[in-house]
Amino acid sequence: MSSSPAVSIVIPVYNEEGSVEALYEQLSAALERLGQPYEVIVVDDGSTDGSFAQLKAIHARDPRWQIVQFRRNFGQTAAIAAGFQQARGDVVITLDADLQNDPNDIGALLAKLDEGYDIVSGWRVHRKEPLLTRRIPSQAANWLISRSTGIHLHDYGCSLKAYRREVAKGVRLYGDLHRFIPALASQMGVRVAEIPVNDRPRHAGKSKYGLSRTFRVFLDLIGVIFFLSYFHRPLRVFGGLGVAIGGVGAVILLYLGYVRIVLAQDIGDRPLTLLGILLVVLGVQMISTGLIADMVMRTYHESQGKPTYHIREHLR
Ligand code: UDP
Ligand code: MG
């Protein structure tokens, strides 16, 4: 096996035949200027146009370009995950294939990473996209994600990002979560920085996403917040809720017991009786769900030998 490159570039491609050649030219020129050994991993996410044929030709003339072809369209996140898995560089950089990102920004990303950061994210200060359908929803999402994860970025949606290898290899990506990587990686205790990058109009072709993405991003955000807060101690959230709800139910039932026994009144037809019983049952169920979730967590860590910590450095 050849010696490992310093930089791995990961690019998801889905029907980008109009951009692939220009991408090769512009990216190669930018990388040559950096003067570091690199590899480019293009993941063809089930393209149905001429993208793969073009990529194959590029691979034939430049072996630094690896092409991974998916059997069908699995989505941008899956394509990025596949690229991360193949990457051998110390630094892994993601980039869109449509040249909206400027390959000439890669140098600045690497320089920032060298200052001791684990993730450097691009920030498209002057975005070229429509205000109402793209920029406003994305600003709302950025604000929410930043607030709720504690990793403050202006532009989670920017594809151009640089990761230290351990970070890229360490995050598990499901669904449409690639834009949340800095937030997900915050679990590992990463240092995140942001630098302004160039935003350009799409080189060719059409965007693969419509307005419905906004809703999916908000839904994903709920999942991410939950995951970040309670992944390691699910009993805390379920148990806490269970104790609170069951506690209210218990107080209600105690009061009703007092009414029945001491005041000798009928309680059978009171709605409060039903509520008290309901809350106690709900509370017990919540606590047991928490216990099961805790066991699932342990199984996750122990069956896969996954550590419950992440080491930055080990001096010995
Ligand atoms: N992409 C992909 N699989 C998909 C959708 C998109 O690999 O199912 C790629 C696409 O080829 C591009 C990048 O992901 O390189 C971003 O997609 P797009 O430019 O359509 O998104 P936008 O820039 O409009 O947010
Ligand atoms: Mg794009």
Side-chain angles (χ1 to χ4, degrees):
M1 205 158 103
S2 59
S3 65
S4 63
V7 184
S8 301
I9 312 283
V10 169
I11 309 174
V13 167
Y14 182 48
N15 293 345
E16 303 284 6
E17 63 183 359
S19 303
V20 166
E21 273 304 327
L23 173 72
Y24 177 74
E25 296 303 329
Q26 288 192 23
L27 182 59
S28 300
L31 290 169
E32 275 332 314
R33 268 198 297 281
L34 289 177
Q36 301 189 19
Y38 65 86
E39 64 178 358
V40 177
I41 301 161
V42 182
V43 182
D44 175 12
D45 185 15
S47 295
T48 49
D49 65 355
S51 299
F52 183 69
Q54 290 179 6
L55 291 167
K56 211 169 155 182
I58 288 173
H59 168 73
R61 66 179 193 262
D62 189 341
R64 286 172 298 191
W65 284 58
Q66 288 184 38
I67 318 298
V68 176
Q69 187 190 29
F70 278 177
R71 288 190 185 276
R72 65 168 174 85
N73 179 246
F74 284 95
Q76 194 181 346
T77 301
I80 289 171
F84 281 179
Q85 201 194 350
Q86 298 303 323
R88 294 177 300 138
D90 300 323
V91 175
V92 183
I93 292 177
T94 51
L95 190 76
D96 276 354
D98 56 13
L99 287 168
Q100 280 186 281
N101 304 129
D102 185 346
N104 292 310
D105 285 322
I106 292 176
L109 248 55
L110 291 173
K112 194 73 188 174
L113 213 60
D114 271 346
E115 289 176 19
Y117 292 99
D118 301 299
I119 298 180
V120 179
S121 181
W123 170 18
R124 295 162 294 176
V125 182
H126 302 291
R127 281 186 69 175
K128 301 286 186 294
E129 289 178 317
L131 186 70
L132 200 64
T133 52
R134 282 285 168 100
R135 270 148 59 193
I136 289 180
S138 119
Q139 273 186 5
N142 285 316
W143 182 82
L144 261 180
I145 304 170
S146 297
R147 276 293 310 256
S148 45
T149 62
I151 300 288
H152 292 270
L153 292 182
H154 292 90
D155 193 5
Y156 269 90
C158 180
S159 296
L160 182 59
K161 292 190 170 79
Y163 306 91
R164 227 165 265 291
R165 167 209 174 82
E166 312 82 77
V167 177
K169 301 269 180 191
V171 286
R172 292 280 163 272
L173 296 175
Y174 303 95
D176 270 324
L177 296 189
H178 64 273
R179 71 187 55 247
F180 295 102
I181 298 175
L184 294 173
S186 69
Q187 282 238 309
M188 300 165 74
V190 292
R191 298 185 183 130
V192 183
E194 193 174 39
I195 59 167
V197 296
N198 204 357
D199 186 40
R200 311 188 294 184
R202 215 173 206 290
H203 182 79
K206 285 204 304 263
S207 171
K208 308 299 178 286
Y209 302 100
L211 199 56
S212 72
R213 171 165 69 181
T214 312
F215 300 105
R216 282 182 282 132
V217 167
F218 279 105
L219 274 182
D220 283 345
L221 176 61
I222 296 174
V224 168
I225 293 171
F226 181 79
F227 177 83
L228 287 178
S229 319
Y230 303 114
F231 183 63
H232 287 289
R233 298 311 314 271
L235 185 56
R236 294 256 170 92
V237 62
F238 290 111
L241 269 173
V243 168
I245 293 172
V248 173
V251 169
I252 290 175
L253 291 185
L254 278 175
Y255 163 73
L256 287 174
Y258 166 81
V259 170
R260 178 73 194 87
I261 294 164
V262 180
L263 306 181
Q265 295 173 4
D266 246 4
I267 57 165
D269 54 354
R270 294 181 64 164
L272 203 58
T273 311
L274 206 61
L275 183 67
I277 294 171
L278 187 77
L279 291 182
V280 168
V281 171
L282 209 65
V284 170
Q285 278 192 341
M286 281 274 191
I287 295 171
S288 28
T289 307
L291 287 169
I292 293 172
D294 238 44
M295 286 192 323
V296 172
M297 262 324 296
R298 276 165 212 243
T299 314
Y300 166 80
H301 280 288
E302 281 161 29
S303 65
Q304 304 184 49
K306 282 212 193 306
T308 49
Y309 49 80
H310 294 274
I311 297 172
R312 189 188 306 280
E313 251 179 290
H314 182 170
L315 305 175
R316 54 183 161 186

